[in-house]
């Protein structure tokens, strides 16, 4: 083993037995088959079909056609040696109109997926909501409407009853920050609305959905050792100048504590309520809601890609707002519009996100300090680069380097006492990257969108070696 180098490019670091090496995807990003077997429309169908909303007008109509290639994709996972697979369930396949009757053909697809994973000794980690809200629920008000949280609990109960004898771990929500602030605040994500008040109401109703959904799941799941979780995308903040404490506190409150507060402590922090007082009076938080939300979980899912550097706008320099997401007119930071997101030091991925493995170590250690009893799992980490297939291979050295550095960071966090249970690389397959359409490739497996052919990238082979040996292999620039 090489002793700790400052750039995190270590190898030979061993991971314990039981640590789950896997990969992650999401329903709308890979499945396609958008109108088959009784699936209803979701907000992402509507949004992507609206001119100007996604790059090139790309939609998830076909995506990776995973719906029709399930068995081949399962075999691919097995070839890579995945120990777990984090997927999401499309609510509009299970309840096409968002409530009421369950669609048996939708359930059947996920049942086959779960059985196919178990037959290959891969643990299913199922996310209930990765952003594809049934369109009829949006028409009835979407996440700013309280009723949506109760419809989510009904959906959780239905799918929990169907798959609850086999799923290893359940995740209620993926990145509610994006659902609330990009969906209803900035408008960069579906449904593309731009109201600070609605974004904050969505925050609360997503939290409520998490709590109600967990209780519904627990009431029907029969697998005694099933685990329960939520996945959050944390903003790891760096000061943009000597006077950045307030900017950092504000973004931490809106982005991080707005979710960890109610979910893990049963409270919204006073500073969050004060910072947003001009936007909303938070009357949508009803008596008893916080108790409903504050339910025990078995681990917290952590999605991490890069850091954010902020400061308070001084009114003199041209204002910068780049926060790593497409600007669609509204603000994702209601009540804190004076905070600037400033450009960070590279290197960068194809998303323009800075590569900062130290941020992952810092985040895991900080979460462990805040919630010492709570196990963690990296539920997403990975990188987009402009990959090319040359002679049947994809030499994506920069992705290997990225993964090597972030696995090293996770290992360091574990050495510092963090109870980290696993790591789900984003993503198994190149896929529909939301507003960026098919222009950003995150896969460890390349997908040719003309032929839908899959080609394992060098990073996929590297990861397979990591899983096989349970030890970080050398990367492209490590001493070999
Ligand atoms: C996360 C999303 C995931 C993917 C990655 C790159 O925010 O959860 O679906 O888009 O970013």
């Amino acid at each position: 083993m090489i002793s700790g180098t400052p750039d995190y490019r270590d190898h030979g670091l061993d991971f314990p037995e039981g640590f789950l090496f896997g990969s992650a995807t999401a329903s709308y990003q890979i499945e396609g088959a958008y109108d088959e077997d009784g699936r209803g429309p979701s907000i992402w169908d509507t949004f992507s079909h609206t001119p100007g909303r996604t790059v090139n007008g790309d939609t998830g109509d076909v995506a990776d056609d995973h719906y029709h290639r399930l068995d081949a994709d399962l075999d691919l996972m097995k070839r890579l040696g995945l120990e777990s697979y984090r997927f999401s369930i499309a609510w509009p396949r299970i309840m096409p109109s968002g409530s009421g009757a369950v669609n048996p053909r939708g359930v059947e697809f996920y049942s086959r997926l779960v059985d196919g994973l178990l037959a290959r000794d891969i643990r299913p980690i199922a996310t209930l909501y990765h952003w594809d809200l049934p369109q009829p629920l949006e028409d009835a008000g979407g996440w700013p409407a309280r009723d949506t949280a109760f419809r989510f609990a009904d959906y959780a109960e239905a799918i929990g009853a169907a798959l609850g004898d086999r799923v290893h771990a359940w995740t209620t929500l993926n990145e509610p920050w994006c659902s609330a602030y990009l969906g209803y605040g900035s408008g960069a994500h579906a449904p593309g609305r731009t109201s600070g008040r609605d974004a904050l109401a969505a925050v609360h109703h997503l939290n409520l959905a998490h709590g109600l959904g967990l209780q519904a799941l627990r009431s029907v799941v029969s697998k005694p050792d099933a685990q329960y979780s939520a996945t959050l995308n944390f903003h790891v903040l760096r000061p943009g100048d000597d006077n950045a404490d307030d900017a950092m506190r504000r973004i931490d409150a809106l982005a991080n504590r707005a979710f960890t507060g109610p979910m893990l402590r049963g409270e919204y922090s006073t500073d969050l309520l004060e910072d947003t007082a001009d936007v909303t009076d938070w009357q949508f938080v009803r008596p008893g809601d916080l108790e409903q939300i504050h339910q025990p979980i078995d681990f917290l899912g952590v999605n991490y890609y890069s850091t954010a550097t902020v400061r308070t706008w001084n009114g003199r320099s041209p204002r910068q707002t780049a926060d790593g997401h497409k600007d669609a007119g509204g603000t994702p930071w209601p009540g804190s519009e004076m905070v600037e997101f400033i450009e960070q030091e590279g290197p960068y991925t194809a998303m323009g996100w800075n590569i900062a493995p130290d941020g992952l170590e810092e985040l895991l250690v900080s979460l462990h300090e805040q919630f010492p009893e709570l196990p963690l799992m990296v539920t997403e980490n990975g990188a987009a680069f402009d990959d090319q297939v040359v002679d049947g291979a994809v030499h994506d050295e920069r992705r290997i380097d990225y993964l090597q550095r972030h696995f090293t960071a996770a290992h360091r966090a574990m050495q510092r006492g963090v109870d980290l249970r696993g790591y789900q690389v984003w993503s198994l397959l190149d896929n529909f990257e939301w507003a960026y359409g098919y222009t950003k490739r995150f896969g460890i497996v390349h997908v040719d969108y003309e032929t839908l052919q899959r080609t394992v990238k060098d990073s996929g082979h590297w990861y397979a070696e990591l899983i096989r040996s349970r030890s970080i292999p050398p990367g492209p620039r490590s001493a070999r």
Side-chain angles (χ1 to χ4, degrees):
M1 180 170 98
I2 297 176
S3 66
T5 48
D7 70 1
Y8 286 75
R9 288 190 185 101
D10 279 354
H11 66 272
L13 306 177
D14 297 327
F15 287 83
E17 281 305 319
F19 183 90
L20 279 182
F21 291 108
S23 190
T25 63
S27 48
Y28 191 73
Q29 295 182 273
I30 65 164
E31 286 178 0
Y34 75 108
D35 62 351
E36 282 180 51
D37 291 342
R39 179 186 179 279
S42 80
I43 54 174
W44 271 96
D45 295 288
T46 309
F47 188 79
S48 66
H49 280 268
T50 305
R53 292 301 205 170
T54 64
V55 175
N56 301 323
D58 287 342
T59 74
D61 290 2
V62 177
D64 293 338
D65 197 33
H66 170 71
Y67 192 79
H68 296 123
R69 291 160 197 261
L70 180 59
D71 291 330
D73 286 344
L74 285 164
D75 288 342
L76 181 61
M77 293 177 212
K78 184 69 192 164
R79 279 210 302 286
L80 292 172
L82 299 190
E83 298 174 331
S84 54
Y85 174 54
R86 174 179 184 254
F87 60 97
S88 81
I89 295 169
W91 185 349
R93 286 198 196 281
I94 307 305
M95 286 185 170
S97 51
S99 56
V102 171
N103 169 29
R105 286 173 299 171
V107 174
E108 151 72 15
F109 173 73
Y110 296 104
S111 189
R112 276 205 295 131
L113 167 58
V114 167
D115 286 344
L117 290 169
L118 294 176
R120 290 165 182 81
D121 211 16
I122 302 170
R123 301 225 177 150
I125 303 178
T127 299
L128 293 187
Y129 186 71
H130 200 128
W131 309 352
D132 37 7
L133 185 71
Q135 183 63 41
L137 293 184
E138 172 57 22
D139 298 340
W143 285 111
R146 184 175 176 88
D147 189 58
T148 304
F150 291 85
R151 302 290 71 78
F152 178 80
D154 295 343
Y155 153 60
E157 186 173 327
I159 196 67
L163 305 180
D165 54 338
R166 287 161 287 163
V167 165
H168 167 72
W170 294 94
T171 304
T172 52
L173 306 176
N174 175 72
E175 301 192 355
W177 180 85
C178 294
S179 304
Y181 296 108
L182 301 183
Y184 296 92
S186 79
H189 279 189
R193 284 158 60 181
T194 52
S195 151
R197 194 258 170 211
D198 285 349
L200 293 168
V203 165
H204 180 60
H205 297 139
L206 283 153
N207 283 326
L208 186 59
H210 161 78
L212 297 174
L214 273 182
Q215 295 175 65
L217 279 174
R218 281 203 165 95
S219 72
V220 291
V221 161
S222 60
K223 193 174 184 304
D225 58 349
Q227 308 231 311
Y228 301 90
S229 65
T231 277
L232 302 176
N233 59 315
F234 291 91
H235 279 63
V236 177
L237 298 164
R238 300 278 156 79
D241 63 20
D242 294 342
N243 206 11
D245 287 356
D246 187 61
M248 289 172 67
R249 183 197 56 71
R250 282 172 170 274
I251 299 306
D252 180 48
L254 277 168
N256 303 332
R257 287 184 281 119
F259 302 102
T260 54
M263 288 183 183
L264 302 173
R265 300 193 196 282
E267 66 184 27
Y268 284 109
S269 61
T270 315
D271 63 332
L272 171 67
L273 305 182
E274 284 169 4
D275 290 347
T276 52
D278 289 344
V279 185
T280 176
D281 56 11
W282 291 79
Q283 283 301 308
F284 41 73
V285 183
R286 304 249 180 104
D289 282 3
L290 287 160
E291 290 73 37
Q292 297 286 349
I293 298 168
H294 185 205
Q295 300 294 321
I297 56 174
D298 297 299
F299 65 87
L300 178 64
V302 176
N303 290 358
Y304 175 81
Y305 292 92
S306 62
T307 58
T309 300
V310 297
R311 67 180 177 202
T312 303
W313 185 47
N314 59 23
R316 293 188 297 275
S317 55
R319 197 168 181 285
Q320 302 184 48
T321 53
D323 69 346
H325 291 274
K326 223 169 143 254
D327 185 356
T331 173
W333 303 112
S336 288
E337 293 84 355
M338 76 295 280
V339 175
E340 284 186 276
F341 284 73
I342 62 177
E343 199 173 322
Q344 306 181 89
E345 215 176 288
Y348 308 102
T349 69
M351 297 297 285
W353 298 346
N354 64 312
I355 300 175
D358 53 316
L360 177 60
E361 179 182 358
E362 181 185 312
L363 172 61
L364 295 172
V365 169
S366 143
L367 287 169
H368 176 65
E369 284 168 0
Q370 293 175 62
F371 309 104
E373 303 304 322
L374 189 62
L376 305 175
M377 183 184 297
V378 175
T379 39
E380 285 182 29
N381 172 253
F385 291 107
D386 298 326
D387 304 313
Q388 309 285 338
V389 184
V390 179
D391 297 334
V394 180
H395 301 306
D396 57 337
E397 300 209 329
R398 285 177 300 174
R399 186 173 290 100
I400 297 177
D401 185 59
Y402 180 99
L403 290 173
Q404 180 187 17
R405 296 168 80 178
H406 286 79
F407 271 102
T408 300
H411 192 276
R412 289 190 187 190
M414 292 167 80
Q415 297 300 106
R416 292 172 63 186
V418 174
D419 182 1
L420 188 68
R421 298 290 172 91
Y423 205 119
Q424 314 305 316
V425 170
W426 186 270
S427 179
L428 176 66
L429 301 168
D430 288 340
N431 59 46
F432 175 80
E433 179 47 36
W434 309 112
Y436 295 90
Y438 296 100
T439 59
K440 306 293 179 193
R441 294 180 175 276
F442 274 92
I444 53 173
V445 176
H446 181 275
V447 175
D448 179 324
Y449 294 116
E450 298 295 314
T451 63
L452 294 165
Q453 193 185 332
R454 279 76 163 135
T455 305
V456 177
K457 301 179 191 177
D458 286 358
S459 58
H461 295 300
W462 179 89
Y463 191 38
E465 176 57 19
L466 165 51
I467 300 172
R468 194 198 57 73
S469 64
R470 308 197 72 77
S471 172
I472 301 179
R477 275 168 276 180
S478 299
R480 283 172 197 262

